Amino acid sequence: MSLPAKALVQAAANSGLRAVSVRHSSQAPKVALLGAAGGIGQPLGLLLKQDPLVAHLALYDVVNTPGVAADLSHIDSNAKVTAHTGPKELYAAVENADVIVIPAGVPRKPGMTRDDLFNTNAGIVRDLAAVIAKASPKALIAIITNPVNSTVPIASEVLKKAGVYDPKRVFGVTTLDVVRSQAFVAELKGHDASKTVVPVVGGHAGITIIPLLSQVTPSTKFSEEEIAKLTPRIQDAGTEVVNAKAGAGSATLSMALAGARFANALVRGIKGQKNVQCAYVASDAVKGVEYFSTPVELGPNGVEKILGVGKVSAFEQKLIDASVPELNKNIAKGVAFVKGN
């Protein structure tokens, strides 16, 4: 999926399809999954097929999409499944989509950081965004492809170039950090994991991942030692999985669950069921940085309200302050990639 953006757009144009600026009715949401045959894409497709709110699940990848689609189409849920393979079929996959979820890209291997994935994955996100700008400019775009701190600005810059950018509609999916935090806190404190809520702010890599342990629900007290151990474990949890898989991939199953949970939240918002999720978006919640993850209220137009970081501890404030220069470096790298290509 690293063909030049112009080639992708031209392929779409050659297919005779035209750009539109409307989405499907909220009564029949279409979700497009880009990277559907990959390690995250396949289990994510399974979970989306089971979501009763999804009316049409459009699967896209450069190879193997028909087999994944055939497999999922045998599941007895109401979502219609369509397969779209290669650049010429990308336009149809995303046309009129309400939600577009993007896990496309290469996974991390042992010794790699998310930033090491930059060159390959940056090109993929740029090229996909170029077609989305033409085929479905009103879609809510949920980006999983790493490094999220940079790929969200990349998609935003492409949409800006096309004149269709809406900051309320572009999301970096940080739900996995929330899911992990909730699992780890519940395990440590003996809570019911399904009723444990941990906001995570900042970004989606290393020190930019900031779990707000002072805001855990139900109200939970941590010792300084517990915070000192739990915070870096949450920040490095992705590496924990990469190392455990010993070269066989990165976090795919937990990421699929997190992606499906966030996609469901976006669809619920489209249908008027406002809800709050943490997400990495264009935000003024923290001074000195253009994108930041905080709890946001989702609704029919995407981000309805940015709720900010709330009251944080002195330890958490230090983490937030330290994350800003790192995030700015990641953001600048993404912006420069688009402007230089």
Side-chain angles (χ1 to χ4, degrees), residues 194-245:
S194 67
K195 296 178 181 176
T196 302
V197 179
V198 184
V200 181
V201 302
H204 184 58
I207 65 165
T208 71
I209 299 170
I210 305 165
L212 299 183
L213 299 177
S214 66
Q215 296 182 19
V216 171
T217 304
S219 183
T220 305
K221 291 189 180 299
F222 298 88
S223 69
E224 288 186 13
E225 183 182 2
E226 286 173 328
I227 293 171
K229 287 183 178 179
L230 191 54
T231 299
R233 188 191 175 197
I234 291 166
Q235 292 176 329
D236 296 334
T239 301
E240 190 176 305
V241 175
V242 169
N243 291 340
K245 289 191 174 182

Side-chain angles (χ1 to χ4, degrees), residues 161-186:
K161 276 188 171 183
V164 295
Y165 176 62
D166 182 346
K168 296 179 179 179
R169 299 178 185 273
V170 183
F171 303 85
V173 179
T174 62
T175 311
L176 181 53
D177 301 320
V178 174
V179 168
R180 285 168 166 158
S181 298
Q182 290 167 178
F184 297 167
V185 167

Side-chain angles (χ1 to χ4, degrees), residues 52-117:
L53 298 183
V54 177
H56 178 187
L57 179 58
L59 307 177
Y60 173 82
D61 216 316
V62 291
V63 292
N64 301 329
T65 327
V68 176
D71 202 354
L72 292 179
S73 70
H74 292 181
I75 294 170
D76 58 347
S77 66
N78 290 326
K80 177 180 77 171
V81 178
T82 56
H84 310 268
T85 306
K88 290 182 180 179
E89 297 182 14
L90 174 58
Y91 195 110
V94 299
E95 186 178 26
N96 286 340
D98 296 282
V99 173
I100 300 171
V101 186
I102 308 178
V106 296
R108 279 204 292 161
K109 295 180 180 179
M112 292 176 70
T113 66
R114 289 182 178 89
D115 205 46
D116 291 332
L117 307 175

